[in-house]
Amino acid sequence: MVVGIVAGFFLVSRIEDARWLTREEKDALSAAVARDEEARSRAPKVSRIRLILHPQVAVLTAVFFAMALTGYAITFWLPSLVDDIGGLSPFQVGLLSAIPWICAVIAMYSMAHFTDRARDRRPYLAAALVLSATGTYLATLGSPWFGLAAITLAAVGGKCAATLFWPMAQSGLDLKIAAPGLAVVNSIGNLGGFVSPTLFGYLKDSTGSTNGGLYTLSAASVLAVIGVALIRRSGGGTETGSGSGSDGPALVKGQVATGEAR
């Protein structure tokens, strides 16, 4: 709670307030945003039904839904998985449960920094989802300590996938549907946050083991990899900026988009 309150004094809402950007970068990014807004204002309206059924919106929603399944299941069930180690106090369970997320924070920042100049993030997103699927599958094997290490891999893969997904979602949609399209992806995709813990708990109660739930998460991540191949590389905007072809504005927009996703 304290971190959240303090963060409110440091997070910024306007390009002009971003102290980590140079004047040239601020001007380039402001110009790119202005061009996007002008193009969006001239675009025809799209009905809600057509928006939901839009192929790219549907693919992005399916991929994000699969990602949410893994993310929320690990978040809610990790303490129970750690408690299976045995002989741990609640405080020790809490400390060990923090390990996957500490590793994920480091990996998220490193992945975002590494892929900022990438013209196509799809291979990296696919690799992150494969890592997530591998981690959840390996968690069904070996001892609980081995399972904790495997879940750490899954958490790293899932969180890295999130930093890669949102810039791709932004660039993969035409300008005329980008804003409402992203809202649909986020709203429907986040339903995975309800489905995943509920399904995981049902499978655990039915089988007496968490393996069934972990297998389901692995399968969801594998299906998401297939969906990644269907995501369009660029739409009305581009994944590397406003289409000017220069590395400067491209890098700026990639960094801001990645930061917002985080």
Side-chain angles (χ1 to χ4, degrees):
M1 291 173 63
V2 172
V3 171
I5 294 173
V6 173
F9 292 96
F10 291 93
L11 297 177
V12 299
S13 300
R14 301 186 307 165
I15 296 171
E16 287 297 319
D17 297 331
R19 294 186 297 273
W20 60 88
L21 298 178
T22 65
R23 171 48 56 188
E24 180 183 5
E25 290 171 334
K26 290 179 181 180
D27 292 342
L29 185 54
S30 296
V33 171
R35 288 193 296 269
D36 284 355
E37 290 178 346
E38 181 184 0
R40 194 175 293 117
S41 65
R42 290 186 280 104
K45 298 291 184 179
V46 179
S47 68
R48 293 184 178 89
I49 299 299
R50 290 185 59 188
L51 180 64
I52 295 175
L53 298 179
H54 188 281
Q56 279 300 299
V57 173
V59 169
L60 290 168
T61 301
V63 172
F64 183 56
F65 183 87
M67 291 167 52
L69 288 178
T70 300
Y72 279 97
I74 293 177
T75 299
F76 283 102
W77 286 94
L78 179 58
S80 296
L81 296 173
V82 172
D83 191 51
D84 289 340
I85 293 174
L88 300 174
S89 68
F91 180 72
Q92 290 172 322
V93 170
L95 289 178
L96 290 176
S97 297
I99 292 176
W101 307 121
I102 293 173
C103 295
V105 167
I106 297 172
M108 285 170 64
Y109 181 84
S110 301
M111 177 63 77
H113 181 75
F114 178 73
T115 58
D116 263 342
R117 289 185 178 271
R119 292 189 175 277
D120 188 358
R121 289 184 172 92
R122 288 176 300 178
Y124 300 100
L125 176 56
L129 290 170
V130 168
L131 180 62
S132 179
T134 302
T136 50
Y137 175 76
L138 291 178
T140 64
L141 309 174
S143 68
W145 284 105
F146 179 80
L148 176 60
I151 288 295
T152 300
L153 291 180
V156 167
K159 291 302 181 181
C160 285
T163 65
L164 295 165
F165 174 81
W166 286 111
M168 288 179 56
Q170 175 187 344
S171 65
L173 296 175
D174 294 328
L175 284 176
K176 63 183 179 181
I177 63 168
L182 291 176
V184 169
V185 172
N186 191 44
S187 299
I188 299 179
N190 266 315
L191 291 177
F194 166 76
V195 174
S196 181
T198 304
L199 179 61
F200 201 99
Y202 172 77
L203 293 174
K204 185 177 186 298
D205 290 342
S206 301
T207 64
S209 170
T210 59
N211 287 356
L214 293 170
Y215 290 143
T216 301
L217 298 181
S218 294
S221 295
V222 170
L223 292 175
V225 173
I226 299 174
V228 169
L230 301 177
I231 296 178
R232 189 168 56 184
R233 178 174 171 180
S234 62
T238 66
E239 196 166 332
T240 54
S242 59
S244 62
S246 62
D247 289 338
L251 178 59
V252 173
K253 189 166 186 180
Q255 288 171 332
V256 172
T258 305
E260 290 176 346
R262 285 200 295 270

